[in-house]
Amino acid sequence: MLSVLLPAARGEGGRRPDEGCGPHQAFRVLLLALCICIATPLFAQDNIQQNAERLMAAALNSSHGYETLAYLSDNIGPRLSGSKNAAAAVAWATKRLRSWGLDAHTEKVMVPHWIRGVESARVVSHNDQPLVLTTLGGSVATPAEGFVADVVEARSFDELKMLNVRGKIVFFSGSMDMDLVRAGRSFEAYRKAQEFRTKGADQASPHGALAVVIRSVASDSMRSPHTGSVKYEGKVKKIPAAALAIEDAMLIHRLLAKGEKVRMHLLLRPRILDDVESANVVAEIRGSERPDEIVLIGAHLDSWDLGTGAIDDGGGVAMVMETMRLIHQVGPVPRRTIRAVLFMNEENGGRGGKQYFADHKNEKHIAAIETDAGSAAPRGFLTTLKGDALTALEGRMQMLDRVGAAKFDNAEHTGADTTPLIDAGVAGFGLVPDQRHYFDYHHSAADTLDKIDPHELAQNTAALVALTYVIAEGGL
């Protein structure tokens, strides 16, 4: 269209020999300027989308992210806060990011240091049958020799109030809603069931219970118990807490349902040590025009100690690191700063996210994108963005259809570590992979590299790098 408006070839002085500077020529110049003003942002938007698509293609055609995850999972292994493996992960991630030419550093975080110790249980009332269980993170210990007590089943906190549990072990038998899991709403089912894990000990202690055991908060099990944190509020006596493998929880339930008396020997010997110094790993690609505006992308570097943390959250770490590598090496550098944060201590304290906010709350974050939901095939993003701003972003992110991730659903929060930022008003985004099998392995010894599909991991990285680049270049 612009070529139609351009004057023909000029001679000396910029005019054709037979041409004056009349009203028609002035109108033509004004129209040309108007067309340029209209076309420039359209061309710029085309360039943003083309660059995002190029970055997606690079992610999909690379095994680099999987190789990063494989080293973290297989060579470093479990990374519970305060452990030597967690320290090794911090050093490795910092060195690896720097080896790609990125500006990377660590930021101090004081973290809890909890060690699992010996854990065992058996049903002494039924031929000393051994039970498979694991101590909940942060739990206090039983006496050195353990203890034997009757088991009382409670299916809800309301039912607990009507039971005589003094001097007994409370067994919370609540499970995940499998209809929600099959419908792809596993996180909703998890949030409901995990209350027994996080609050069960505090709920049972005032009634005189000696300890709490729960049915693992899991959607499947091969007799592998799933851990997670117990939360003590400090107002009541702390009592030990553990999670039974689903099969063993069902055994206890069947015996009690028949009216039989169940007595359990429980031995849990965790140790709670003094806090130790650890760190968040932070890397940046400084923006070319608006470096003070920050798009944060994050995952948590720590993991529970039972498996090797490949799903939770090694995959997220690999996606974030690979996103930084691709944008730095494939380019171009966006207008705004991209800051990657590998948070420490998400699993049993959330100290990394809280410390990051304390250190950086006065900086101008325009978006916080978190990935902590596994590495199965992407399904879209959660976001706190609403209204016209969300509609506009959806219009710019159609390239996500390529990996099935173009759906944006509203949520109040989009990730644990970025919660302080979101609460402060920063627009939040959370990557949503397929949820249906995430809680089969979550927080268990089965969280290992073999559960990761390299192609699906690359698809997630492609979705993350595209969203990150589009926001960093085009804003919200």
Side-chain angles (χ1 to χ4, degrees):
M1 179 177 72
L2 297 181
S3 62
V4 176
L5 300 172
L6 292 173
R10 309 288 183 179
E12 284 291 326
R15 297 181 187 173
R16 294 198 312 252
D18 60 343
E19 182 182 43
C21 188
H24 293 294
Q25 179 64 11
F27 174 75
R28 181 177 293 180
V29 171
L30 288 173
L31 188 57
L32 173 60
L34 178 61
C35 289
I36 291 173
C37 289
I38 294 172
T40 298
L42 296 177
F43 292 159
Q45 184 58 43
D46 284 346
N47 286 336
I48 294 174
Q49 292 180 328
Q50 289 169 7
N51 289 333
E53 289 170 359
R54 189 158 55 90
L55 288 164
M56 289 183 71
L60 292 169
N61 291 322
S62 174
S63 62
H64 211 281
Y66 183 78
E67 292 162 7
T68 295
L69 172 57
Y71 190 92
L72 178 62
S73 179
D74 287 353
N75 292 66
I76 296 178
R79 305 173 296 282
L80 189 60
S81 295
S83 68
K84 64 181 180 63
N85 285 18
V90 168
W92 163 81
T94 307
K95 182 178 179 180
R96 193 170 185 89
L97 288 162
R98 288 174 177 169
S99 75
W100 297 338
L102 289 158
D103 178 12
H105 65 277
T106 60
E107 296 182 355
K108 176 181 173 181
V109 181
M110 295 301 295
V111 299
H113 190 191
W114 179 86
I115 298 174
R116 182 171 301 281
V118 175
E119 50 192 22
S120 69
R122 64 183 191 274
V123 186
V124 298
S125 57
H126 291 72
N127 299 313
D128 266 348
Q129 290 190 53
L131 300 171
V132 181
L133 88 174
T134 190
T135 312
L136 293 180
S139 173
V140 296
T142 63
E145 67 282 1
F147 56 75
V148 175
D150 291 346
V151 178
V152 178
E153 179 176 355
R155 288 163 291 188
S156 69
F157 292 149
D158 287 337
E159 184 179 23
L160 171 69
K161 298 173 184 177
M162 298 183 289
L163 300 172
N164 175 19
V165 300
R166 184 166 299 279
K168 300 175 183 178
I169 297 170
V170 174
F171 163 49
F172 287 110
S173 58
S175 63
M176 290 182 68
D177 184 333
M178 292 306 296
D179 287 336
L180 289 177
V181 172
R182 285 186 285 270
R185 296 161 60 190
S186 294
F187 277 83
E188 184 179 340
Y190 174 74
R191 281 190 291 271
K192 293 178 180 180
Q194 75 163 342
E195 286 199 339
F196 297 113
R197 188 192 76 208
T198 57
K199 301 177 182 179
D202 268 8
Q203 291 287 322
S205 178
H207 300 284
L210 292 180
V212 161
V213 294
I214 68 165
R215 172 177 166 140
S216 283
V217 186
S219 51
D220 199 4
S221 173
M222 292 291 284
R223 217 177 181 194
S224 54
H226 296 228
T227 191
S229 289
V230 58
K231 294 183 179 179
Y232 299 115
E233 296 299 330
K235 300 176 183 178
V236 298
K237 179 183 177 182
K238 296 178 181 179
I239 59 175
L244 290 162
I246 289 176
E247 296 87 343
D248 295 82
M250 295 173 74
L251 167 65
I252 299 298
H253 170 74
R254 289 194 302 269
L255 294 175
L256 291 171
K258 291 189 291 185
E260 298 182 18
K261 184 176 184 178
V262 175
R263 288 179 62 79
M264 181 188 297
H265 177 265
L266 181 66
L267 174 64
L268 307 176
R269 297 300 297 161
R271 289 185 291 155
I272 302 173
L273 306 180
D274 291 339
D275 288 358
V276 300
E277 182 177 329
S278 187
N280 292 330
V281 178
V282 181
E284 276 193 356
I285 298 172
R286 191 165 175 80
S288 60
E289 294 182 22
R290 298 184 179 182
D292 60 319
E293 296 184 9
I294 299 163
V295 177
L296 183 147
I297 56 174
H300 68 83
L301 189 54
D302 62 308
S303 78
W304 282 108
D305 54 328
L306 298 179
T308 60
I311 297 170
D312 185 21
D313 185 27
V317 169
M319 294 173 213
V320 168
M321 292 177 69
E322 183 67 356
T323 290
M324 296 297 282
R325 186 188 74 85
L326 288 168
I327 293 176
H328 177 68
Q329 296 185 0
V330 177
V333 174
R335 300 167 68 203
R336 295 165 181 82
T337 293
I338 299 172
R339 180 180 293 167
V341 184
L342 305 180
F343 297 97
M344 181 53 65
N345 184 233
E346 186 274 344
E347 292 294 6
N348 61 332
R351 302 269 188 93
K354 295 170 186 174
Q355 187 63 54
Y356 176 84
F357 182 72
D359 293 342
H360 298 278
K361 61 185 176 183
N362 293 325
E363 297 177 65
K364 188 176 181 180
H365 294 79
I366 69 164
I369 310 170
E370 187 166 344
T371 170
D372 182 19
S375 305
R379 293 292 180 259
F381 290 87
L382 297 176
T383 182
T384 61
L385 206 63
K386 296 179 181 179
D388 292 342
L390 177 56
T391 300
L393 180 65
E394 288 174 326
R396 296 153 57 199
M397 296 307 305
Q398 291 306 305
M399 78 286 290
L400 292 178
D401 275 332
R402 179 175 180 180
V403 292
K407 184 180 181 182
F408 288 82
D409 290 323
N410 277 126
E412 184 178 351
H413 288 105
T414 53
D417 286 314
T418 54
T419 291
L421 287 169
I422 306 312
D423 287 343
V426 177
F429 296 85
L431 180 64
V432 180
D434 189 325
Q435 302 177 10
R436 288 173 295 174
H437 295 287
Y438 179 70
F439 292 102
D440 294 358
Y441 315 114
H442 175 259
H443 291 184
S444 79
D447 181 358
T448 49
L449 183 66
D450 51 285
K451 311 306 186 304
I452 304 294
D453 181 299
H455 179 63
E456 291 179 343
L457 180 68
Q459 288 179 313
N460 281 293
T461 303
L464 180 62
V465 74
L467 180 64
T468 302
Y469 178 80
V470 168
I471 296 176
E473 177 63 18
L476 287 175

